């Protein structure tokens, strides 16, 4: 009788910071459970993450490999040139993935591919080679369900919008009735339906249904209605979030003894932690717009004056490449001037965000509403001011303010007066009301990753089902 094959999971993230981080958390959890795991990055990101990842690997069962994304080394891979990256993924990178899986680099043979929800090349190649595929969507269940509803909304004439009034109420999204406005929908709904990016992201959404299961970085108590809708599309749905908290709970992603956060592609400036140590409890506003968003000089100065005028100390993550439309030298000069640390402010290029949010001095988070940041803020119990710019973030911020009531929504505006007002509301005027909601939601998050929590149980179920794939193949 033939021996069952050894479980070997290949994890294929979309080549961006916000996608790599949760998928690497999952890779560490699977390896800690005894599964052999290969984490397959692009060469470009492999070089950035490799020096810091192996030292924090839970075991030798986790291996880091890479393939080309098909773009030249000097390509900026920026948001402005996203369509070039998307095209290269569908063509050159797909061919490199097939070649990798057929090579000795994939020994023992891969038995299951967990592909990012916008990396359907993983499902394509898995089907060609008779390998099981699971889709992992790295943003909210709410946003994913909205994307699945887009064709119906287009058929009903609700998309694209008939005029430019983004404050008009939007009806027809099952599970999101109520205070939803056009501007609260994911940014894809504002796109031209003829555009390459619109077609790519919509096609990728429906390609996910060819996978045998869906993994979501969320927890049941947070998004139960949306998860229920998705369960009508996928026969197996595994809600295993917040993944970073599950990794900490499982001792494969703890703070102590590591130099970088799990999956970080940037060098963290830990001097901000010493600055936080000097601040009063819950006094600091933490500001970060993530790894991709760029802001103009005018927006930068509005945020700056709003934060200064509110009178609260603030810690701001301001990347060197964060300023749009400026000459490199003048942008660098401006950033150098702003990054002069004082008693009331600290500005760094990148920060260990999970540790920052867990610090007792932090009392609020001005965020771009990326899903990782949203979950990290929930896990830490820190209320949010949301300034979303793209992707899933518009609907994330709506959930934060209108559904969960754990923060404020400041989308599509950033004048200094509004910034100052929002900070004061979050930290003073409505502080108790928002904190009551946040304490409840944060407690549910903690319960979900506990030993008997829904996310912990769902992870166990996922691991067992991956092993079942190998026994039945």
């Amino acid at each position: 009788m033939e021996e069952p094959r050894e479980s070997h999971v290949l994890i294929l993230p979309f080549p961006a910071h916000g996608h790599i981080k949760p998928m690497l958390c999952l890779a560490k959890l699977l390896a800690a459970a005894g599964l052999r795991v290969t984490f397959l990055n692009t060469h470009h990101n492999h070089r950035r993450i490799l020096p810091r990842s192996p030292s924090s690997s839970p075991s030798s069962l986790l291996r880091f490999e890479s393939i080309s994304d098909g773009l030249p080394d000097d390509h900026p891979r920026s948001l402005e040139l996203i369509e070039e990256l998307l095209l290269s993924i569908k063509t050159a990178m797909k061919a490199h993935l097939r070649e990798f899986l057929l090579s000795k680099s994939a020994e023992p043979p891969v038995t299951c591919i967990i592909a990012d929800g916008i990396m359907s090349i993983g499902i394509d190649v898995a089907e060609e080679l008779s390998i099981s595929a699971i889709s992992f969507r790295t943003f909210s269940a709410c946003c994913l369900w909205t994307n699945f509803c887009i064709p119906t909304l287009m058929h009903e004439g609700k998309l694209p919008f008939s005029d430019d009034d983004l404050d008009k109420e939007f009806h027809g999204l099952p599970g999101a009735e109520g205070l939803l406005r056009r501007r609260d929908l994911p940014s894809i709904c504002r796109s031209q339906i003829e555009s390459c990016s619109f077609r790519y992201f919509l096609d990728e959404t429906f390609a996910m249904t060819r996978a045998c299961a869906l993994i979501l970085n969320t927890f049941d108590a947070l998004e139960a209605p949306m998860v229920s809708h998705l369960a009508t599309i996928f026969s197996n749905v595994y809600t295993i979030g917040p993944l970073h908290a599950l990794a900490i709970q499982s001792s494969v992603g703890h703070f102590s003894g590591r130099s970088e956060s799990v999956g970080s592609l940037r060098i963290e400036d830990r001097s901000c932690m010493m600055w936080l140590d000097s601040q009063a409890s819950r006094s600091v506003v933490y500001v970060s717009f993530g790894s991709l968003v760029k802001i103009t000089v005018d927006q930068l100065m509005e945020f700056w004056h709003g934060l200064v005028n509110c009178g609260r100390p603030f810690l701001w993550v301001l990347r060197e490449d964060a300023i749009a439309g400026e000459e490199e030298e003048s942008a660098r000069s401006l950033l150098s001037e702003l990054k002069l640390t004082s008693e009331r402010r600290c500005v760094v290029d990148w920060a260990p965000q999970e540790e920052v949010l867990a610090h007792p001095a932090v009392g609020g988070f001005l965020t771009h509403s990326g899903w990782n940041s949203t979950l990290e803020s929930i896990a830490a119990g820190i209320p949010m001011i949301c300034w979303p710019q793209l992707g899933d973030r518009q609907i994330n911020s709506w959930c934060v303010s209108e559904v969960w009531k754990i923060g404020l929504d400041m989308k599509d505006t950033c004048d200094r007066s509004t910034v100052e007002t929002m900070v004061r509301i979050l930290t003073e005027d409505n502080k108790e009301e928002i904190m009551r909601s946040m304490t409840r939601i944060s407690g549910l998050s903690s319960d979900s990753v506990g030993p008997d929590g829904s996310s912990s149980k769902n992870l166990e179920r996922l691991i067992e089902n991956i092993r079942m794939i190998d026994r039945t193949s």
Side-chain angles (χ1 to χ4, degrees):
M1 184 175 178
E2 186 177 347
E3 290 290 323
R5 294 185 297 171
E6 178 186 5
S7 297
H8 183 185
V9 182
L10 181 123
I11 295 186
L12 181 68
F14 183 80
H17 186 279
H19 296 251
I20 290 170
K21 182 174 182 178
M23 296 195 80
L24 184 52
C25 277
L26 176 60
K28 290 173 178 285
L29 288 163
L30 296 182
L35 296 177
R36 185 174 297 279
V37 181
T38 295
F39 194 83
L40 191 63
N41 253 318
T42 61
H43 292 328
H44 176 75
N45 287 327
H46 183 71
R47 288 190 291 266
R48 300 169 69 191
I49 198 173
L50 188 60
R52 302 188 293 278
S53 293
S55 62
S56 56
S57 298
S59 74
S60 60
L61 292 174
L62 176 55
R63 183 176 64 183
F64 294 83
E65 298 285 354
S66 65
I67 57 176
S68 171
D69 59 13
L71 296 173
D73 288 344
D74 61 353
H75 192 284
R77 293 164 175 83
S78 60
L79 198 59
E80 294 81 3
L81 299 175
I82 185 68
E83 292 191 359
E84 293 180 14
L85 175 61
L86 300 181
L87 178 61
S88 191
I89 287 172
K90 298 294 279 187
T91 54
M93 190 172 177
K94 180 177 178 178
H96 293 308
L97 174 62
R98 185 187 300 108
E99 181 183 354
F100 176 85
L101 288 167
L102 292 172
S103 71
K104 289 186 177 180
S105 297
E107 292 294 338
V110 169
T111 57
C112 176
I113 295 176
I114 298 179
D116 192 298
I118 53 173
M119 292 289 281
S120 66
I121 61 170
I123 301 175
D124 295 341
V125 177
E127 289 176 341
E128 291 176 29
L129 303 180
S130 299
I131 301 171
S132 294
I134 297 173
S135 188
F136 179 171
R137 201 61 181 97
T138 58
F139 56 32
S140 66
C142 183
C143 186
L144 180 56
W145 170 241
T146 304
N147 284 2
F148 272 112
C149 292
I150 285 176
T152 300
L153 296 171
M154 291 173 64
H155 178 73
E156 294 172 348
K158 295 172 181 176
L159 289 177
F161 304 139
S162 57
D163 54 54
D164 296 330
D165 183 5
L166 293 179
D167 283 319
K168 187 176 290 185
E169 288 187 10
F170 190 87
H171 301 282
L173 181 64
E177 294 80 4
L179 299 175
L180 193 69
R181 304 164 298 174
R182 288 174 171 177
R183 72 172 69 250
D184 298 320
L185 294 169
S187 64
I188 188 176
C189 297
R190 304 188 192 185
S191 303
Q192 296 294 323
I193 61 174
E194 301 85 5
S195 69
C196 171
S197 56
F198 178 89
R199 180 48 52 190
Y200 180 92
F201 289 113
L202 197 60
D203 288 348
E204 290 296 295
T205 296
F206 285 89
M208 293 171 62
T209 61
R210 291 163 29 218
C212 67
L214 170 67
I215 298 171
L216 291 170
N217 185 19
T218 190
F219 55 101
D220 291 342
L222 186 69
E223 295 193 278
M226 298 305 176
V227 174
S228 296
H229 283 300
L230 291 170
T232 66
I233 300 173
F234 296 89
S235 57
N236 289 303
V237 179
Y238 302 97
T239 50
I240 58 172
L243 266 166
H244 78 284
L246 194 58
I248 293 170
Q249 184 75 20
S250 304
S251 301
V252 299
H254 50 82
F255 294 149
S256 59
R258 64 178 186 176
S259 58
E260 300 293 331
S261 298
V262 173
S264 179
L265 298 180
R266 294 176 179 270
I267 302 297
E268 296 166 349
D269 184 344
R270 299 191 61 82
S271 65
C272 64
M273 300 306 298
M274 292 182 287
W275 180 84
L276 283 174
D277 290 340
S278 68
Q279 304 299 316
S281 175
R282 298 293 181 229
S283 65
V284 174
V285 178
Y286 172 55
V287 185
S288 176
F289 300 135
S291 59
L292 287 177
V293 170
K294 292 195 174 187
I295 59 178
T296 65
V297 168
D298 287 343
Q299 289 172 328
L300 171 67
M301 298 315 297
E302 291 300 310
F303 277 116
W304 182 266
H305 287 293
L307 289 166
V308 170
N309 293 343
C310 77
R312 290 260 172 180
F314 61 88
L315 166 59
W316 191 348
V317 171
L318 196 53
R319 309 183 323 270
E320 288 187 1
D321 61 347
I323 301 180
E326 289 294 305
E327 292 294 330
E328 184 175 342
E329 187 173 337
S330 59
R332 188 182 296 115
S333 175
L334 175 60
L335 289 174
S336 296
E337 183 179 342
L338 296 181
K339 287 182 179 180
L340 295 175
T341 300
S342 70
E343 183 180 345
R344 288 272 303 280
R345 69 174 186 263
C346 178
V347 183
V348 295
D349 188 66
W350 200 248
Q353 181 162 290
E354 291 173 42
E355 292 182 71
V356 167
L357 289 170
H359 197 284
V362 175
F365 184 11
L366 174 51
T367 172
H368 66 307
S369 291
W371 190 237
N372 291 325
S373 292
T374 300
L375 288 177
E376 288 163 14
S377 200
I378 287 173
I382 303 298
M384 289 164 270
I385 299 170
C386 302
W387 190 64
Q389 294 299 296
L390 52 92
D392 60 319
R393 294 151 193 186
Q394 277 83 1
I395 204 158
N396 293 345
S397 66
W398 173 75
C399 289
V400 165
S401 65
E402 302 300 327
V403 180
W404 307 320
K405 301 187 183 302
I406 54 176
L408 306 170
D409 191 353
M410 199 179 75
K411 66 167 60 81
D412 298 325
T413 184
C414 68
D415 63 275
R416 65 189 66 186
S417 175
T418 301
V419 173
E420 179 183 355
T421 299
M422 288 283 186
V423 172
R424 291 189 184 280
I425 290 173
L426 190 75
T427 58
E428 298 170 16
D429 300 347
N430 284 10
K431 180 178 179 180
E432 290 186 8
E433 180 181 344
I434 292 173
M435 279 308 302
R436 277 197 297 270
S437 296
M438 177 56 88
T439 299
R440 183 181 68 83
I441 296 290
S442 185
L444 293 172
S445 167
S446 180
D447 291 344
S448 74
V449 299
D452 297 316
S454 60
S455 294
S456 297
K457 294 297 184 183
N458 287 337
L459 177 63
E460 291 173 8
R461 189 166 58 91
L462 171 64
I463 292 167
E464 180 57 30
N465 286 355
I466 289 173
R467 290 191 171 117
M468 282 288 293
I469 289 171
D470 306 325
R471 289 197 287 267
T472 58
S473 56

